[in-house]
Amino acid sequence: MDISRRIKIRHLEAFVEVARQKSVGRAAITLSLTQPAVTRTIRELEQIVGAALIERDGRGIRLSHQGEVFLAHAGSGLAAVRGGIAALANVATVAGPPVRIGALPTVSVTIMPGAVVDFLASGLKSPLRVTTGENRVLLDQLRKGDLDLVMGRMPAPENMASLRFEPLYRDRVVFIIHKSHPLSGQRQVAADILSRYPVLVPPAGSIIHPFVERVMLEQGMAQPVQAVETVSDSFGRAFLRSTDAIWIISRGVVAAELGSGEFVELPIDTGSTMGAVGLITRENDRAHDAALFFADILRRRSSQS
């Protein structure tokens, strides 16, 4: 086992205090322990590191050469741990700055709910604000400082000025219908299907619009005759449930309905629409601790999706 994983905080506390007091007895009093307990802890530490850290010096003790070397690191390490514990206690009891998160619709119904649950369970007191909308609008708010970070698709290079992107997972565009739709269950569809049914499409300013245009060209599909531009996932779900519409949307938005069988994916190859989804932050601008903590939650949640 790695030595660093065997060393406990109690080992560092006992060693640093003995070194400071130059006495096991006085260190035991300060630590509210018995002298044998302190001696035993020091011996455990010496066995772990494989070196004698404390030597007899007449009636007292002194650090060995190895002990002097180890003390420099043990002291700073123990101070860092204590500082971290104090900072957590302060954050948990004092309301900090709000954590302002922007999320595309595909993220707001998949990764975001679980991330919010984890954040609330952490005990942090910073208020949490989640804003959904088009990628372009969210990025503008991020640049202005109205958002701490955005979770969405990777923007085009020309839209990445002053921003940085950290990819976390990938998503693709799909053509979705309700299970009662006349096309449900078909293994292939004609290229003119978009001219025969109402179609919900992402507007020109949306992040997935270029991907949709590309796949339609690749498939030789006719342009929709009855097109409704929207990025509203709630409207999309309601409209599909009440009409024979086709919805062109990121798969993550409707993953739950596809899993339950309520919605069905049309057999259209959309592999070319696969794109990275991740964290977008301001370049050279470190977010406050609570926002960084939420970003770590999003990373963990994304790795599990």
Side-chain angles (χ1 to χ4, degrees):
M1 182 184 292
D2 184 7
I3 289 178
S4 63
R5 296 176 60 185
R6 296 168 59 194
I7 296 177
K8 310 299 183 184
I9 291 180
R10 62 184 178 86
H11 292 130
L12 299 182
E13 288 178 330
F15 173 69
V16 170
E17 193 59 32
V18 167
R20 189 175 72 87
Q21 298 280 0
K22 293 183 175 55
S23 167
V24 173
R26 289 194 295 270
I29 294 173
T30 302
L31 295 170
S32 298
L33 297 171
T34 64
Q35 186 168 329
V38 173
T39 300
R40 185 168 56 252
T41 302
I42 296 297
R43 294 291 175 262
E44 289 177 2
L45 179 59
E46 290 178 326
Q47 290 178 357
I48 293 171
V49 301
L53 303 177
I54 295 175
E55 299 175 342
R56 288 286 181 183
D57 185 20
R59 293 185 177 181
I61 61 171
R62 64 180 177 86
L63 295 183
S64 65
H65 174 67
Q66 293 93 332
E68 294 284 358
V69 172
F70 186 73
L71 178 62
H73 299 281
S76 60
L78 185 58
V81 171
R82 287 171 172 167
I85 293 172
L88 281 178
N90 185 60
V91 170
T93 57
V94 178
V99 179
R100 304 162 303 172
I101 310 298
L104 285 181
T106 179
V107 177
S108 66
V109 298
T110 52
I111 303 297
M112 196 59 63
V116 170
V117 169
D118 290 349
F119 184 85
L120 296 177
S122 72
L124 297 182
K125 303 301 181 182
S126 291
L128 187 60
R129 301 173 187 170
V130 179
T131 302
T132 60
E134 295 182 17
N135 216 62
R136 173 179 52 81
V137 175
L138 296 178
L139 295 186
D140 286 344
Q141 292 178 334
L142 179 62
R143 287 191 182 92
K144 294 175 183 177
D146 296 331
L147 294 174
D148 296 307
L149 58 90
V150 170
M151 184 77 173
R153 269 195 176 236
M154 181 177 181
E158 61 268 22
N159 296 326
M160 282 299 294
S162 72
L163 301 176
R164 62 173 176 263
F165 178 81
E166 177 188 345
L168 297 181
Y169 66 95
R170 296 171 65 80
D171 195 9
R172 64 183 174 90
V173 172
V174 288
F175 291 65
I176 298 299
I177 56 176
H178 191 268
K179 62 182 180 181
S180 62
H181 195 284
L183 296 176
S184 180
Q186 295 195 18
R187 295 187 176 181
Q188 60 182 10
V189 293
D192 67 343
I193 59 168
L194 300 186
S195 64
R196 292 192 272 129
Y197 300 97
V199 182
L200 301 182
V201 296
S206 66
I207 191 72
I208 65 171
H209 178 80
F211 295 92
V212 174
E213 290 288 303
R214 181 167 61 192
V215 77
M216 289 176 62
L217 287 173
E218 292 173 349
Q219 298 291 327
M221 304 181 76
Q223 290 292 321
V225 174
Q226 302 178 63
V228 180
E229 295 187 352
T230 183
V231 293
S232 171
D233 57 297
S234 57
F235 171 74
R237 290 186 179 86
F239 197 67
L240 246 63
R241 287 165 179 154
S242 58
T243 68
D244 285 337
I246 297 172
W247 189 11
I248 307 175
I249 190 66
S250 292
R251 192 182 191 284
V253 175
V254 289
E257 288 80 7
L258 289 173
S260 69
E262 181 185 9
F263 292 170
V264 178
E265 181 179 346
L266 287 175
I268 298 172
D269 183 6
T270 60
S272 64
T273 68
M274 187 74 74
V277 179
L279 286 171
I280 309 170
T281 54
R282 289 184 295 275
E283 201 170 35
N284 302 321
D285 183 16
R286 185 181 185 276
H288 57 80
D289 290 344
L292 292 175
F293 180 74
F294 195 90
D296 284 339
I297 293 175
L298 289 174
R299 293 185 183 97
R300 178 171 54 79
R301 281 279 174 177
S302 295
S303 69
Q304 297 171 351
S305 64

